[in-house]
């Protein structure tokens, strides 16, 4: 991106887990102004960006990324230098129960946003047009599942998604790429591995395990617990996104990962050990005794692993947090943020846990 003025980002899904981390870092560091467009689904939480409520470099619109009147008005009024597209339905298990909403947001919504972005970008000229970027935040799940000996996913790995979630993200990636090849829109795509850290909605493995362990509830492991994920601390992901936005090559894809492959059994065991250490007075020690093997997820991808040598060699990005240090920070964040936890464990959350796991 060119120019030295403070840039304005239109961030979609900025009230969710990764988007809020990106907005907080971008605004607090003085790096950019952020206009956050978020529908505030169950996964979007206004508390995530409460710290920015009165900040002059932060503006919030509640709405759908596919609402063309709304995005058109934001483009007109804020003249963003980049769009950073986080907004999505993001949970594989929910996509199995209710795939339609994933197609609506992740595919149709992304298309509407792309089309409005194109109209805006085509009217820009000179340096503003040259420097504009559409950064689409995607997942390694589009590549499908690896066998134990397979090399990690690289940018040229063919797409082979397994779940309605990953299939909808794959479709969106294709649309973003098509807008570049067909119309010249200056896009960037990132495909990242599993994130963890503060403010993640507790339907995902790591926050679910932490919060259940606090309360002495079962820690559910699907199947044999030996599925492998590659974990990355959320702030490392956001640093990678800023790097790609600044210096990534237009039209290119960058894979982002933590080089931290762990079986789910390892991950939950490590969490239990850390919680035993951090909370010696807990009545639920040893936390491992709470682990419970439950029915497997249909179409459960066996292994994800990301080769991130392109972003490392081309742009110099590497993760800075280790798995243990990141997990410690995460556990302590959930311990210190009782009001946040209470706000997300609403009746709707309890109904999801009951429907999906059959316990309260
Ligand atoms: P999240 O579910 O925590 O947040 C999604 C946000 O999008 C929420 O604030 C929600 O309110 C908003 N949203 C949903 N539908 C919307 C719509 N129609 N219009 C506007 N806003 C809408 O998700 P996350 O974990 O922060 O993931 C963000 C992005 O990163 C997603 O695109 C996801 O596919 C991708 N990603 C996530 C991970 C991960 O491990 N969490 C890894 C790689 C990529
Ligand atoms: P999740 O956090 O849902 O992320 P994703 O499915 O996008 O990788 O799940 C991470 C891994 O943990 C995945 O292999 C499924 C498994 N898992 C469990 O074993 N138990 C659970 O209760 C959940 C939510 C996930």
């Amino acid at each position: 991106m060119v120019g030295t003025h403070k840039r304005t980002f239109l961030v979609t899904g900025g009230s969710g887990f990764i988007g809020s981390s990106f907005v907080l870092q971008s605004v607090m560091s003085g790096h950019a102004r952020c206009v956050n467009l978020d529908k505030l689904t169950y996964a979007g939480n206004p508390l995530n960006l409460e710290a920015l409520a009165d900040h002059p470099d932060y503006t919030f619109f509640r709405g759908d990324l596919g609402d063309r009147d709304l995005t058109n008005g934001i483009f007109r009024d804020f003249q963003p230098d980049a769009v950073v597209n986080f907004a999505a339905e993001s949970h594989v298990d929910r996509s199995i129960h209710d795939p339609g909403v994933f197609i609506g947001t992740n595919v149709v919504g992304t298309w509407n946003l792309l089309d409005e972005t194109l109209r805006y970008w085509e009217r820009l000229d000179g340096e503003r047009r040259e420097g504009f970027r559409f950064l689409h935040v995607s997942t390694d799940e589009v590549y499908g599942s690896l066998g134990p000996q397979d090399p990690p996913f690289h940018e040229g790995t063919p797409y082979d998604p397994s779940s309605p979630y990953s299939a909808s993200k794959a479709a969106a990636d294709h649309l973003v790429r098509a807008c570049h090849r067909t119309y010249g829109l200056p896009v960037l795509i990132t495909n990242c591995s599993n994130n963890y850290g503060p403010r993640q909605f507790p339907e995902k493995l790591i926050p679910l395990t932490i919060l259940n362990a606090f309360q002495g509830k079962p820690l559910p492991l699907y199947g044999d617990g030996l599925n492998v994920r590659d974990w990355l601390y959320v702030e490392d992901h956001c640093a990678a996104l800023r790097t790609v936005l600044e210096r990534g090559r237009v039209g290119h894809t960058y894979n982002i990962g933590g080089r931290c492959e762990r079986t789910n059994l390892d991950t939950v065991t490590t969490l239990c050990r850390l919680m035993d250490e951090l909370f010696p007075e807990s009545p639920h020690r040893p936390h491992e005794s709470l682990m419970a093997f439950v029915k497997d997820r249909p179409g459960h991808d066996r292994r994800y692993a990301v080769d991130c040598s392109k972003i490392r060699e081309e742009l110099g990005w590497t993760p800075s947090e280790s798995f243990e240090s990141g997990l410690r920070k995460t556990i302590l964040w959930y311990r210190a943020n009782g009001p946040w936890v209470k706000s997300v464990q609403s009746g709707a959350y309890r109904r999801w846990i009951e429907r999906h796991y059959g316990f309260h």
Side-chain angles (χ1 to χ4, degrees):
M1 289 171 82
V2 291
T4 51
H5 72 293
K6 189 184 271 189
R7 279 154 307 181
T8 300
F9 299 157
L10 166 55
V11 178
T12 70
S15 303
F17 164 50
I18 307 173
S20 60
S21 181
F22 180 84
V23 170
L24 280 168
Q25 286 175 20
S26 302
V27 172
M28 292 298 205
S29 65
H31 181 79
R33 295 190 188 88
C34 288
V35 180
N36 173 22
L37 168 61
D38 196 297
K39 192 174 177 178
L40 297 183
T41 67
Y42 76 92
N45 188 341
L47 286 181
N48 288 347
L49 292 174
E50 207 184 17
L52 300 180
D54 300 316
H55 201 291
D57 288 344
Y58 175 70
T59 311
F60 174 66
F61 288 92
R62 183 173 191 177
D64 197 299
L65 85 160
D67 180 338
R68 286 167 174 266
D69 289 340
L70 183 55
T71 51
N72 185 278
I74 294 173
F75 281 123
R76 185 192 57 229
D77 296 344
F78 291 87
Q79 300 283 308
D81 302 283
V83 173
V84 188
N85 186 31
F86 292 96
E89 290 291 337
S90 68
H91 188 36
V92 174
D93 292 321
R94 285 187 194 252
S95 82
I96 295 168
H97 289 286
D98 190 9
V101 66
F102 285 70
I103 309 305
T105 287
N106 301 1
V107 185
V108 181
T110 299
W111 170 254
N112 285 339
L113 176 69
L114 273 168
D115 201 22
E116 285 304 323
T117 306
L118 256 175
R119 287 160 202 263
Y120 165 72
W121 173 74
E122 279 168 350
R123 290 195 302 270
L124 295 175
D125 47 27
E127 236 186 44
R128 305 257 1 256
R129 184 181 168 103
E130 181 72 11
F132 184 84
R133 298 287 183 269
F134 184 101
L135 171 57
H136 179 64
V137 181
S138 191
T139 165
D140 62 351
E141 302 194 25
V142 298
Y143 297 121
S145 185
L146 293 168
Q149 306 306 328
D150 288 339
F153 303 129
H154 59 86
E155 286 78 359
T157 302
Y159 278 27
D160 188 20
S162 305
S163 71
Y165 163 66
S166 52
S168 68
K169 291 294 291 185
D173 292 9
H174 290 317
L175 291 170
V176 173
R177 212 168 274 121
C179 279
H180 173 65
R181 293 190 190 159
T182 306
Y183 308 110
L185 187 70
V187 308
L188 298 155
I189 298 175
T190 53
N191 294 91
C192 187
S193 64
N194 284 62
N195 284 214
Y196 68 99
R199 296 179 298 276
Q200 186 169 30
F201 193 81
E203 63 190 354
K204 307 276 168 68
L205 179 67
I206 287 180
L208 181 91
T209 301
I210 295 171
L211 294 186
N212 281 12
F214 284 167
Q215 296 173 64
K217 291 181 178 174
L219 311 180
L221 280 157
Y222 295 163
D224 59 6
L226 298 181
N227 299 65
V228 172
R229 296 294 182 264
D230 174 355
W231 293 99
L232 180 68
Y233 191 65
V234 64
E235 289 185 12
D236 280 327
H237 182 192
C238 292
L241 294 175
R242 273 198 306 280
T243 304
V244 170
L245 203 48
E246 293 297 325
R247 292 185 281 115
R249 280 189 285 162
V250 167
H252 277 243
T253 291
Y254 292 89
N255 279 356
I256 305 170
R259 291 170 141 198
C260 175
E261 282 187 59
R262 297 284 187 281
T263 64
N264 296 331
L265 188 59
D266 274 348
T267 297
V268 173
T269 307
T270 305
L271 280 167
C272 289
R273 178 174 51 75
L274 290 173
M275 282 188 280
D276 287 350
E277 270 171 45
L278 289 166
F279 311 117
E281 307 301 320
S282 165
H284 309 304
R285 287 176 84 234
H287 290 91
E288 261 190 53
S289 64
L290 300 170
M291 292 196 313
F293 289 90
V294 300
K295 196 164 144 293
D296 208 353
R297 169 189 282 172
H300 194 179
D301 285 336
R302 192 64 173 168
R303 173 176 165 238
Y304 301 145
V306 172
D307 175 350
C308 43
S309 46
K310 179 174 172 181
I311 186 171
R312 189 187 66 237
E313 284 162 20
E314 228 178 76
L315 307 179
W317 173 87
T318 49
S320 55
E321 205 72 57
S322 75
F323 197 40
E324 283 231 358
S325 67
L327 286 181
R328 269 177 206 279
K329 282 187 181 174
T330 306
I331 295 168
L332 292 173
W333 187 89
Y334 281 93
R335 181 51 118 201
N337 286 273
W340 186 96
V341 170
K342 209 165 162 222
S343 80
V344 301
Q345 288 184 323
S346 65
Y349 177 73
R350 284 200 298 277
R351 281 193 296 282
W352 162 255
I353 296 291
E354 212 173 309
R355 176 180 181 200
H356 187 61
Y357 298 98
F359 58 79
H360 299 279

